[in-house]
Amino acid sequence: MSNVIDEANWKFHWRLTESAGIMIYLADYKGHRVLWEGSLPYVTVDHQRQTLDVEQDAGEVHGPWWVPLGTRTLQGPVRVQSFRGGVELSAAFTAGLYHYTQLWRFHDDGRLCPWLTIYGPGVHDQHTYHPHWRFDFDLDGARDDAFERYEGARWVRVENEGWFPYSGEADANGTVWRQVDFGSGAAINIRPHKLG
């Protein structure tokens, strides 16, 4: 299978990494560069237990720990599949008691949607999964780009790198973060999968 996919108005490259699952890179939409690189470096699992005594619960892992997805945990081939209105790239991974499906969807209207599905018996029911997606957007080249977040009912320029979680605020379209290219006037609008 080729590592270049040219379908649904998108052209992008992909590769399977050792620890970040499927990495997408050099992604163009209708001939315009959108993404330099995108990946899922790790998933943290936050075990919320009152008792963290490993001696008492022998064999059970407590506390936050992370899972790398990649070639060592791959279960079966990486799959490319067309769907009505786009193309998707997916892979299944197994790490410990957990099973993961990583999915990148490229819609012909310009949307890019990464997904992670987690299933399996787990250790106990008091835990939360935190997938850590990493995006290096490159909108029409790296010059004249700025990152903004919606805060206090307006767009605020972010001057320094950092962690900017969803605070509950979004613009009328549900956009929480955006990257703007002032040279071309183009923007990448980013919103959580589920608002509210």
Side-chain angles (χ1 to χ4, degrees):
M1 171 186 348
S2 171
N3 78 325
V4 179
I5 296 173
D6 193 348
E7 193 174 330
N9 296 321
W10 286 91
K11 181 177 182 180
F12 62 92
H13 298 71
W14 69 273
R15 70 182 178 92
L16 186 64
T17 66
E18 276 297 312
S19 63
I22 300 172
M23 177 182 287
I24 303 297
Y25 62 100
L26 301 179
D28 298 345
Y29 176 70
K30 291 187 175 181
H32 294 276
R33 177 65 35 86
V34 173
L35 185 70
W36 182 261
E37 185 178 280
S39 64
L40 179 63
Y42 56 93
V43 178
T44 55
V45 184
D46 182 12
H47 290 275
Q48 299 129 2
R49 295 284 296 242
Q50 295 301 319
T51 251
L52 293 179
D53 185 354
V54 177
E55 299 299 320
Q56 238 178 0
D57 288 328
E60 187 173 325
V61 180
H62 298 286
W65 55 282
W66 68 281
V67 175
L69 305 179
T71 55
R72 290 169 291 171
T73 57
L74 182 66
Q75 300 295 305
V78 175
R79 296 173 304 282
V80 177
Q81 182 175 315
S82 297
F83 63 90
R84 181 186 229 169
V87 63
E88 66 184 26
L89 184 66
S90 65
F93 303 91
T94 300
L97 299 171
Y98 304 97
H99 303 277
Y100 301 84
T101 300
Q102 184 185 15
L103 180 74
W104 290 88
R105 277 198 170 160
F106 295 83
H107 297 261
D108 59 11
D109 63 3
R111 288 178 295 142
L112 163 62
C113 303
W115 290 76
L116 181 68
T117 302
I118 304 167
Y119 51 98
V123 176
H124 54 77
D125 61 357
Q126 297 174 352
H127 57 279
T128 305
Y129 298 95
H130 302 279
H132 295 260
W133 297 97
R134 179 175 291 151
F135 301 99
D136 184 359
F137 293 108
D138 185 11
L139 189 55
D140 287 331
R143 291 180 174 236
D144 300 323
D145 284 1
F147 179 68
E148 298 178 333
R149 66 182 171 144
Y150 198 76
E151 179 183 4
R154 64 184 183 90
W155 286 103
V156 177
R157 175 85 32 90
V158 175
E159 297 296 335
N160 297 309
E161 266 189 46
W163 183 47
F164 306 102
Y166 172 53
S167 66
E169 286 190 88
D171 73 4
N173 297 317
T175 302
V176 175
W177 312 276
R178 70 181 182 184
Q179 183 160 333
V180 180
D181 182 88
F182 295 107
S184 68
I188 296 171
N189 298 312
I190 308 160
R191 61 181 180 233
H193 173 63
K194 184 177 180 184
L195 292 175

